[in-house]
Each structure stands twice: as structure tokens, then as C-alpha cells.
Amino acid sequence: MALVLDAAAQALLFREARTANTFTDEPVADEQIEAIYDLVKYGPTSSNQSPLRITLVRSPEARERLVRRMAEPNRAKTAGAPLVAILSTDNEFHEELHKLVPHFPQVKDLLYAERPTREASAVLNGALQAAYFIIGIRAAGLAAGPMSGFDAAGVQKEFLDDDHTPLMVVNIGRPGPDAWFPRAPRLDVGEVITTV
Amino acid sequence: MALVLDAAAQALLFREARTANTFTDEPVADEQIEAIYDLVKYGPTSSNQSPLRITLVRSPEARERLVRRMAEPNRAKTAGAPLVAILSTDNEFHEELHKLVPHFPQVKDLLYAERPTREASAVLNGALQAAYFIIGIRAAGLAAGPMSGFDAAGVQKEFLDDDHTPLMVVNIGRPGPDAWFPRAPRLDVGEVITTV
């Protein structure tokens, strides 16, 4: 009994949650995404930099443009999900730090003056926030289908700008028929954890 | 009521959970870390690549070597935590894919033949798993203190090898006196989410 989190929450977020490959037609409302964000925004990032940005692809025309940029094995599920989100990093996140770190205004110049430093830090911290967002989708009783197989330069050109780097695309909705394959194995504790 | 996750779990994992800067002396057992891993190992990664590796720094001698590699503002908390973990990526994760993706043995050569591709993918996916691990620490009723301020090359040289890249260092334990500052602001929904 080393965990405090109750068994139902463990199941909802991790043990029974699965990456969905098919979805029902039930829509995902803006209010659901906002409730997810309002939960997971509290997850920690370096210096509270919070570089994740979320682009909800709602119009049929935008969806079609996105599907064309996905790797072939991801196209049908991206076309079929009720909602698809592009997760990206804001590489100019330092311009928001006056709001995020008002108690330490020096941090912008001290740590994040250089763009290459910001880009590397934004990938790490944007990925942390992407994981919190995936957990949040599950906390809303929905299934997430995160995908890294897409034309990143094309997605950036079509949907973002030079200051935003795509991290992943996430299908969101209720799982449909045959939504997943059998659970794949995970590494054992002894293969992952060492002690010094 | 857009969320299914109950309020107590929301508080434990996100709303009331905080990055701790001080800790009590209560030890953190290997069994707790193993229970955390056995929960969060189910979090999704690209092709189930699961590149995260965890080094538990338990001996006083190793702790001292690590503290010297931390940025000055992180030294006291790293010295004072009951347990400290170095989270890293295995850039040769493709050698484990026969266990992780037994249903698709081609994935190793199809996607991950080149080291630079593996390194970039391991940072993204290792960071996802680092976030799951932080959530798992909280699910065990413990506080996490993730830090990216350290000499990465030095930590790699002291504790890892050429195939493992450090992502972050995490203090783990029960929060001590004055464990945190007031909660810093987060960006509003409208600053993070756009719709196309």
C-alpha cells in the first residue's frame, strides 16, 4: 500500500487508461479542454516557464490540412477523432515570464537570454506539460491518442509560426470500437532503476 | 463538472501539490519508488520506447558528489532531501524494443536506426515519463522537487555513461518546514489555447 492515490484514480489515469486509435462521434467541448487545462496548469516546469501551447483543430478545412501532414499510419485516426490538438512550445516564452515569475524578474535575462537555450528548455518543459495534459484528458474521462509521427516542419508551417515548435499531435475523444491493441509490455523495475 | 477524477485526487496530484524545497528526515523506501514506477510505467511513449532511466542516489558519498554538480541555489535542498533521483534517457533504447514492441520488430530499424533521431526522441519521451514519475511521487503522498539547474555534463560523467543523457534531478520526501513559496501564477486559458 505504498500509494495514497485511490485505486479508481490509478485505473483512470494509468492502469486501465490506453492510447485510443478509434473514437465515437461524441463531441469534445471547449469547456472540457478548459477544465483539463485548469487542472494540469499546476504541474511544475523549470522556473514556472510554462512553454506549452495548444492549438485545437476544429474546422473541417483545418482538420484536412492536418491529416495530410500526418504519417500514413496516423491519418485515419486523426481524421476520425472528434477533436485533435497540436501541442507546441513557445520558444519566446521568456516574454511571458513577467506574469509567471513576478517575484524574480531577473530570471528572463539570467537563464533565458539566448534562443538555443530557450528552445532546449522549452522542449523539455513543454514535454512535461504535454504529459500533464495527457493525464488531464484521462482525468476528464476521455481517451488520448498522442502521436509523434507527422511532418513537423509542415505542421509548423501550416499551423504555427517560427517561434513555435510542434511537440506532438493528440487525438481526443471517447474510445470507439476496437480502440486499442493488447497492452504492450513495460520494462521491469530492475531494468530502469539503479542505486548508487 | 467536466472532470471525472475526484476532487481529492485532483488536489493530491495537481491543485495542492507543490514543488518542495525542504524535507523531513523520514526515509523514502525502495518499495515506494518501485510502487511509483509500477504505476507510471503505463504512461504512453512513442512506439512504447520507454527511454527513462532512474538513478537513486542513496550513499552519502554519491550524494556529496551530486550536490557539488548542482547549481548553487539547488545545493541545500539536494543535500537535505531523504532521497534524490537522477532521471536520464537511454539513447540506446532501441536495443530494448524487442521486449517493448514484440508485435512490431521492424520499428527498431524503421524509426530508430540513427543516433541523432534516437536522442531527440528520447528527450521528448523521457520528459513525458519524467512528468509521469513526478505525478507518481505525488500519488505516493510524497513531495517532488524537480530541478534542471545542474552541470549536466558533470552529472553524466560522474553517474552515467555516454549513452545516457541526464534530464533532471528530483528531490523526493515529505515536505519540511516552510517547504514552498506562495503559488506562482499560471497563464490563462486564452493565453495558451487557440482554435483553428
Side-chain angles (χ1 to χ4, degrees), chain A residues 101-117:
Chain A
V101 197
H103 50 283
F104 186 43
Q106 307 92 308
V107 71
K108 176 182 172 181
D109 295 324
L110 193 65
L111 295 181
Y112 302 121
E114 304 295 333
R115 171 84 175 222
T117 307

Side-chain angles (χ1 to χ4, degrees), chain B residues 149-177:
Chain B
F150 58 88
D151 166 13
V155 167
Q156 181 174 27
K157 181 163 172 282
E158 291 265 2
F159 294 96
L160 306 170
D161 61 30
D162 289 345
D163 291 335
H164 293 78
T165 306
L167 283 177
M168 67 182 67
V169 177
V170 186
N171 301 319
I172 307 170
R174 302 238 180 240

Side-chain angles (χ1 to χ4, degrees), chain A residues 41 46 99 148 186 191, chain B residues 41 46 99 148 186 191:
Chain A
K41 69 183 180 186
S46 302
K99 288 180 268 187
S148 52
R186 297 301 195 265
E191 296 172 294
Chain B
K41 69 183 180 184
S46 301
K99 288 179 268 187
S148 52
R186 297 301 196 263
E191 296 172 296

